[in-house]
């Protein structure tokens, strides 16, 4: 059973603190073949993921949820996630069938009646709770009109009343406002820093903002590895993924992170699939090989192994350089820094020990450290990569 520790802002599973690390397979829950689903989950389990994020309302045809056997087909996939020892993360109602969101303000043709979605949400919560699921009442949600607030307040309330599992709502990129009508029913915040390479500062800005609201926080959707926009001509790589992960985590997203590979989130079967905005997609099998997945699994191992729980954002410790991309958090045992490039840093702290990890190679190193006037200068210039610096008191 997974529960939320609201005081320490993390998840607990079977009495043990865990870091939520989800892979994103939005379309996989309704599109993947069973034999492929088994193979995919087995791979992710071995790598170190402990959760799978899926969407229950198909983008291609939202009315598919009206079919009598639809939930049965989805349940078969969710059951396999559970049997693999992973957490099913169920996104119940995507924003594309709810009025007043970014997806429907200009095209209302896919909107479903509130009563239909209420009944669907109730049935999903009741049937899938036995798989120790986590529920997102909505996917990619913003609230542009009162109608959107009305729909999702009803949907979230129905889910909360029909399960004892954790409940949240997956917000659209950059969105920070959760209406009180919905906030009262959720156990943690799920923001999205998204896939715009020119605004990756959202990783830490949104983490900080939601952390200060008081509930546990996850970044449910960091930049998908391999995704890119036609207007930009750039695809995110494993370095981008590492940077988004650690900048989110050390800025307040202490409960968890949602990773995604371009080809898996959209469950692409044939290479070259495109959208109006995105560059062509890898297949899900090729996306399964992307290196960033191993980087985030290594990160989860570090967090749990070295007990990086109970951290608090602590940018004031960093005296120089004055660069917000270097993120800092600390607890009573450690101060942890992510440094995305080789540099010298000065900290307002007196350490017992300092060590680091080259995040590209995962090699340990002991940096040169100078102590003067209760300040600590740490030199990471022994490699041209990003680093995690751990300061022990």
């Amino acid at each position: 059973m997974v529960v939320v520790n609201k005081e320490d802002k993390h998840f607990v599973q079977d009495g043990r603190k865990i870091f939520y690390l989800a892979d994103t397979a939005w379309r996989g829950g309704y599109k993947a073949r069973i034999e492929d689903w088994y193979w995919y989950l087995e791979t992710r389990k071995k790598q170190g993921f402990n959760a799978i994020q899926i969407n229950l309302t198909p983008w291609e045809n939202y009315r598919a949820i009206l079919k009598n056997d639809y939930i049965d087909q989805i349940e078969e996939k969710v059951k396999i996630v559970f049997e693999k020892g992973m957490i099913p993360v169920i996104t119940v109602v995507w924003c594309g069938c709810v009025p007043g969101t970014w997806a429907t303000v200009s095209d209302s043709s896919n909107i479903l009646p509130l009563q239909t979605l209420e009944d669907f949400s109730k049935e999903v919560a009741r049937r899938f709770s036995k798989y120790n699921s986590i529920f997102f009442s909505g996917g990619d949600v913003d609230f542009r009109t009162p109608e959107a607030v009305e729909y999702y307040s009803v949907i979230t309330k129905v889910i909360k009343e029909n399960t004892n599992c954790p409940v949240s709502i997956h917000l659209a990129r950059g969105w920070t406002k959760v209406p009180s009508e919905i906030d009262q029913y959720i156990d943690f915040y799920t923001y999205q820093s998204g896939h715009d390479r020119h605004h990756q500062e959202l990783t830490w800005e949104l983490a900080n903002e939601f952390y200060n609201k008081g509930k546990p926080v996850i970044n449910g959707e960091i930049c998908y590895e391999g995704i890119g926009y036609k207007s930009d001509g750039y695809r995110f790589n494993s370095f981008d993924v590492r940077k988004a992960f650690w900048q989110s985590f050390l800025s307040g997203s202490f409960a968890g992170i949602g990773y995604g590979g371009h080809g898996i989130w959209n469950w692409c079967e044939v290479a070259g699939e495109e959208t109006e905005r995105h560059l062509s997609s890898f297949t899900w099998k090729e996306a399964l090989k992307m290196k960033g997945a191993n980087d985030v699994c290594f990160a989860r191992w570090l967090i749990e192994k070295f007990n990086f729980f109970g951290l608090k954002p602590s940018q004031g410790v960093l005296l120089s350089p004055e660069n917000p991309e270097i993120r800092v958090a600390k607890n009573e045992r450690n101060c942890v820094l992510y440094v995305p490039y080789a540099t010298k840093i000065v900290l307002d702290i007196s350490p017992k020990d300092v060590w680091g990890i080259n995040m590209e190679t995962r090699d340990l190193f002991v940096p040169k450290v100078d102590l003067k006037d209760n300040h600590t200068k740490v030199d990471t210039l022994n490699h041209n990569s990003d680093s995690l610096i751990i300061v022990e008191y």
Side-chain angles (χ1 to χ4, degrees), residues 26 57 91-104 136-145 147-153 155-156 168-179 182 190-192 210 221:
W26 295 133
T57 42
T91 303
V92 184
V93 178
W94 204 263
C95 68
C97 55
V98 172
T101 72
W102 67 267
T104 57
F136 293 162
S137 60
D140 215 15
V141 177
D142 57 12
F143 305 98
R144 302 196 178 197
T145 70
E147 284 183 296
V149 177
E150 178 191 5
Y151 262 64
Y152 276 116
S153 61
I155 291 167
T156 310
S168 185
I169 188 166
H170 175 279
L171 298 173
R173 182 185 74 86
W175 201 263
T176 60
K177 299 177 182 177
V178 182
I182 297 165
T190 304
Y191 77 91
Q192 177 191 164
F210 280 106
E221 199 169 321

Side-chain angles (χ1 to χ4, degrees), residues 371-382:
L371 304 177
K372 186 177 181 181
D373 299 328
N374 293 322
H375 293 169
T376 301
K377 181 183 291 185
V378 181
D379 188 344
T380 68
L381 290 172
N382 61 342

Side-chain angles (χ1 to χ4, degrees), residues 258-278:
Y259 165 88
H262 189 40
I264 293 177
W265 70 273
N266 51 336
W267 206 265
C268 180
E269 299 279 2
V270 179
E273 178 183 292
E274 294 184 359
T275 69
E276 294 179 1
R277 297 179 299 157
H278 298 133

